[in-house]
Amino acid sequence: MKKTFIYLFIISIAVTIINCTPKTKSKQQGALNASAAEKVYVPPGEHDDFYAFVSGGFSGQLAVYGLPSGRLFKIIPVFSQDAEKAWGYSEETKPMLNTSFGHIPWGDAHHPDISQTNGELDGRWVFINENNTPRIAKIDLTTFETTEIIEVPNSAGNHSSSYVTENTEYVIAGTRFGVPVPQRDISIKEYKGNFKGALSFLKVDPEEGHMDLSFQILMPGFDYDKAHPGRGKSHGWFFYTTYNTEEASTLLEVNASQNDKDFIAAVNWKKAEEYIKAGKFKTMPTRYAHNIYDEETHTATTKWGKEVRVLDPAECPGLVYFLPTPKSPHGCDVDPTGEYIVGSGKLSADVTVHSFSKMMKAIEEKKFTGEAYGIPILDFETVNAGSVKQAGLGPLHTEFDDKGHGYTTFFISSEVVKWKVGTWEVIDRKPTYYSVGHLMIPGGNSRKPFGKYVLAMNKITKDRYLPTGPEVTQSAQLYDITGEKMELLLDFPTVGEPHYAAGCPADLIKSKSKKIFKLEENKHPYVAKSAEDVKVVRNGNEVHIYMTMIRSHFSPDNIEGIKVGDKVYFHVTNLEQDYDVPHGISMIGANTSELLIMPGQTESFVWEPKQVGVWPFYCTDFCSALHQEMQGYVRVSPKDSDIELSWSLGDE
């Protein structure tokens, strides 16, 4: 205990010195030279080489940047309401935010991962996790829109997520917090042995990408922090870092740092499939939301899961093994060959690397040093491939290039360190500004990395940008890694607190990008595909307006007979079939955001008028030279009025 306190005290002093001592800047450090500026310059009208999908952290969204320019192209709404795109406000998207806890309009998005085929990025989908209310989302990269969100039951702190196997057979989700499974009223002091950690495997349809909660592995109540799938020779395995093997429930910064080593959990998911097929699972009742957006109806629906298949590793030999790893590991990464498994113990100055081949041999020879809840613990020296010695302070995450190098971030010493896979020698190190967390090399977590850039996502910015009050912007920095030495090219602010990012060549995606929704394929239940379909229908105090929009008018644009107390649904179809001609609509007094409707798409919002009068609506997206003229009126009469419902366009 005393040694732990001393070690933590030294680390806290180091952090204070690093974060509070101004760094002396030479002219070369303070301003990027001309060659660096040229490397990130993308001339007007030309495109970036890479897409970078950067998690929005506490914003709950996913940001799309171009590399090398660092230009922000889009915020993709995922787990949080987004007024710009009416995400979570329109009637079509509200169900996407349903959970077993109710409608949750915010989230904490951490780790995106791009779908793969044969271990290489295929650019079809991005998956990303939500940490607080455990969920996994899928973004379709033809539309850059979220098309599916599935809640993960029996979990809390969905952190070691969402990573895909090399043929996108599964996307996985691991719980960070141990919790009672099933949930029940139990003293927190009874944590040890009673709390569990669920590792969830979501099966992905190879054609459509639809997710299904296939099974869960019910692990001991440790904290499962990060994860990475096996590649190549280790395909069929998944690896998770764990901390708090002490199973502490209070003051974890001390009580979860007692053991000399924690673990990497090696999970044989192909063996799990065998156990499932053989019926060696238990069916556990539960309840979770599965939200799917249908691009034909342009509408989301929620289905409710009622049970999940559960495997107990103590009853399933060969399913899980523990690899001892220096205490409090965070990052868990696998090199492109699938041979080396990197575990970064935050309280170690070394980067520990395990060998998959040695692991398999140790399993065959039963080189165990004990067990934890029926799970064998492998001998550390037997499975260890080596260590990058004294590489820095506070190792966190590692990515790989295509030339046999690893790149590891060090939070406390604020740097990215490049090292040689196999010899473990340090090749180069470059400072970050400041306290770097994740890093990303496009394809760096696949069998085919694109070793041109590394993107570092920093937790502290301090003096990097113009000050904006107590909360400063988040930061990312771009390094050229084509040579032996890394070169800082650019830093740029990011949205939210970026955690991880996923990157791929632009050519893999941009040619598949959908430009319009075909009007003839629109199967929305309230679509109006032409002037003949326009109508206003009353059903009691519920009114449905079937409306169209096209440059530069709404149809209808005059509506009368609406009464105070009515619930008015605007179902609006954009009739345009040209690229880049969206329209918007906003209604005074509507308790929602305005809609932004793409060509060929139908969206809806609800308006509940509370005052008598004549109230305008208008287009919110500048669409033509006569955009200002694109407007209309709704007359609202008293609740007991006998004015008949009517509507018109022009003199009709």
Side-chain angles (χ1 to χ4, degrees):
M1 174 74 89
K2 185 176 180 181
K3 288 183 178 179
T4 300
F5 273 118
I6 293 172
Y7 194 81
L8 291 172
F9 177 74
I10 292 171
I11 287 179
S12 67
I13 293 296
V15 172
T16 303
I17 292 171
I18 289 168
N19 289 337
C20 296
T21 303
K23 297 195 177 187
T24 303
K25 295 181 181 179
S26 67
K27 288 184 179 180
Q28 188 175 4
Q29 290 174 322
L32 296 174
N33 59 39
S35 65
E38 289 173 1
K39 289 181 179 180
V40 300
Y41 178 65
V42 178
E46 294 190 15
H47 292 175
D48 281 275
D49 295 329
F50 293 90
Y51 284 106
F53 300 93
V54 182
S55 70
F58 42 68
S59 77
Q61 317 297 29
L62 184 64
V64 183
Y65 293 86
L67 297 181
S69 72
R71 297 178 294 189
L72 174 63
F73 296 144
K74 183 173 184 176
I75 303 294
I76 302 174
V78 188
F79 299 113
S80 298
Q81 288 181 319
D82 188 322
E84 181 188 15
K85 301 170 187 69
W87 180 258
Y89 292 99
S90 72
E91 294 304 295
E92 289 78 10
T93 60
K94 282 180 181 178
M96 294 298 285
L97 301 181
N98 286 340
T99 75
S100 62
F101 300 94
H103 186 266
I104 305 295
W106 70 275
D108 182 19
H110 277 226
H111 307 124
D113 203 12
I114 299 172
S115 57
Q116 299 184 15
T117 301
N118 296 324
E120 298 182 11
L121 304 183
D122 60 29
R124 293 187 292 168
W125 310 297
V126 171
F127 300 91
I128 188 168
N129 64 316
E130 203 278 278
N131 201 30
N132 180 73
T133 310
R135 288 172 280 178
I136 299 291
K138 179 179 98 277
I139 292 93
D140 186 332
L141 291 181
T142 65
T143 59
F144 284 65
E145 292 182 353
T146 303
T147 56
E148 192 171 4
I149 297 178
I150 187 168
E151 186 180 6
V152 183
N154 299 327
S155 295
N158 178 37
H159 194 256
S160 50
S161 315
S162 51
Y163 301 98
V164 300
T165 53
E166 67 173 30
N167 285 298
T168 321
E169 296 98 335
Y170 293 97
V171 56
I172 62 94
T175 184
R176 176 178 162 194
F177 308 122
V179 292
V181 178
Q183 277 286 6
R184 59 194 183 277
D185 184 10
I186 183 174
S187 171
I188 300 172
K189 294 179 181 179
E190 296 181 50
Y191 184 112
K192 194 165 187 175
N194 289 309
F195 285 39
K196 301 294 181 182
L199 306 181
S200 303
F201 285 73
L202 283 67
K203 189 74 174 174
V204 180
D205 180 86
E207 298 300 324
E208 301 298 328
H210 292 313
M211 296 181 289
D212 175 67
L213 179 56
S214 182
F215 62 88
Q216 293 183 320
I217 300 174
L218 209 55
M219 298 285 286
F222 309 151
D223 290 46
Y224 298 86
D225 200 10
K226 288 295 273 79
H228 201 96
R231 304 290 184 209
K233 63 175 64 179
S234 56
H235 176 57
W237 290 78
F238 232 105
F239 304 94
Y240 302 77
T241 46
T242 74
Y243 66 96
N244 192 24
T245 52
E246 298 85 353
E247 296 180 84
S249 63
T250 182
L251 291 176
L252 263 64
E253 73 271 25
V254 174
N255 294 325
S257 300
Q258 298 305 301
N259 295 337
D260 181 55
K261 288 184 173 62
D262 288 301
F263 300 127
I264 288 177
V267 177
N268 187 337
W269 59 261
K270 288 200 171 183
K271 178 69 72 173
E273 289 182 327
E274 294 175 10
Y275 280 120
I276 292 292
K277 187 176 181 179
K280 301 292 186 182
F281 59 88
K282 295 177 181 177
T283 300
M284 180 180 293
T286 186
R287 186 171 185 267
Y288 61 93
H290 189 176
N291 310 317
I292 300 174
Y293 183 85
D294 186 327
E295 288 199 346
E296 289 187 336
T297 64
H298 303 173
T299 303
T301 55
T302 299
K303 297 179 180 178
W304 293 98
K306 298 180 180 179
E307 61 185 26
V308 61
R309 297 180 295 186
V310 173
L311 294 173
D312 183 346
E315 299 175 1
C316 300
L319 180 60
V320 183
Y321 298 91
F322 283 137
L323 284 64
T325 298
K327 66 172 62 181
S328 300
H330 186 48
C332 182
D333 303 284
V334 178
D335 85 308
T337 70
E339 169 63 17
Y340 297 114
I341 306 145
V342 180
S344 297
K346 299 191 298 291
L347 303 185
S348 172
D350 299 340
V351 177
T352 301
V353 185
H354 296 302
S355 162
F356 178 75
S357 299
K358 288 185 175 182
M359 182 192 86
M360 295 303 292
K361 185 177 181 182
I363 291 171
E364 182 182 353
E365 297 176 354
K366 300 188 183 302
K367 294 291 182 68
F368 306 139
T369 59
E371 57 86 25
Y373 294 100
I375 300 172
I377 301 172
L378 295 167
D379 178 68
F380 175 78
E381 297 297 335
T382 302
V383 300
N384 183 238
S387 297
V388 185
K389 294 291 186 182
Q390 301 294 312
L393 294 176
L396 292 185
H397 303 283
T398 300
E399 292 265 300
F400 300 90
D401 65 16
D402 54 347
K403 304 174 186 68
H405 300 110
Y407 299 75
T408 300
T409 57
F410 290 83
F411 180 81
I412 296 172
S413 52
S414 288
E415 58 187 335
V416 175
V417 175
K418 176 182 179 180
W419 48 273
K420 183 69 176 175
V421 175
T423 66
W424 323 124
E425 60 182 315
V426 173
I427 304 298
D428 189 25
R429 62 179 70 242
K430 282 292 184 291
T432 60
Y433 304 98
Y434 305 88
S435 298
V436 61
H438 278 278
L439 77 167
M440 182 273 287
I441 292 172
N445 64 340
S446 72
R447 294 177 68 175
K448 184 182 177 183
F450 299 89
K452 190 170 185 179
Y453 303 112
V454 64
L455 184 70
M457 287 149 278
N458 306 326
K459 300 301 184 185
I460 298 171
T461 57
K462 292 167 62 95
D463 55 359
R464 300 303 290 177
Y465 309 107
L466 290 172
T468 53
E471 184 181 9
V472 294
T473 185
Q474 311 298 313
S475 175
Q477 292 186 301
L478 187 70
Y479 296 80
D480 183 334
I481 58 171
T482 54
E484 183 181 26
K485 301 296 183 181
M486 296 177 282
E487 180 185 7
L488 177 61
L489 300 180
L490 178 72
D491 58 7
F492 57 93
T494 61
V495 174
E497 184 199 0
H499 288 264
Y500 188 45
C504 69
D507 290 341
L508 200 60
I509 295 175
K510 66 181 183 180
S511 62
K512 305 172 188 174
S513 184
K514 184 174 288 189
K515 293 179 168 58
I516 64 170
F517 295 95
K518 293 181 180 179
L519 196 57
E520 64 270 20
E521 296 177 359
N522 186 331
K523 296 181 181 179
H524 192 287
Y526 293 97
V527 64
K529 296 183 180 181
S530 68
E532 288 73 25
D533 299 325
V534 170
K535 57 186 174 181
V536 182
V537 178
R538 175 179 289 281
N539 182 12
N541 72 332
E542 197 173 275
V543 178
H544 290 267
I545 302 172
Y546 295 68
M547 179 178 284
T548 64
M549 55 197 340
I550 196 167
R551 288 167 287 183
S552 293
H553 65 265
F554 296 95
S555 182
D557 64 0
N558 281 198
I559 303 169
E560 299 195 13
I562 303 297
K563 303 174 186 179
V564 171
D566 281 346
K567 192 171 187 178
V568 183
Y569 289 82
F570 284 77
H571 307 290
V572 190
T573 302
N574 182 348
L575 297 181
E576 307 282 358
Q577 291 290 267
D578 290 333
Y579 185 36
D580 195 25
V581 192
H583 290 292
I585 182 171
S586 179
M587 181 74 214
I588 187 170
N591 188 23
T592 183
S593 70
E594 70 271 23
L595 301 181
L596 185 62
I597 310 170
M598 298 300 110
Q601 192 174 40
T602 302
E603 290 192 4
S604 309
F605 72 92
V606 176
W607 178 53
E608 299 184 63
K610 296 178 173 58
Q611 301 178 45
V612 169
V614 178
W615 308 106
F617 57 89
Y618 65 99
C619 180
T620 56
D621 192 304
F622 207 100
C623 55
S624 71
L626 296 177
H627 166 74
Q628 293 297 94
E629 284 76 12
M630 194 168 173
Q631 64 186 56
Y633 290 98
V634 178
R635 176 185 175 185
V636 177
S637 302
K639 188 173 184 179
D640 58 357
S641 171
D642 58 3
I643 295 175
E644 291 293 326
L645 200 62
S646 63
W647 62 95
S648 66
L649 174 64
D651 295 327
E652 295 179 12

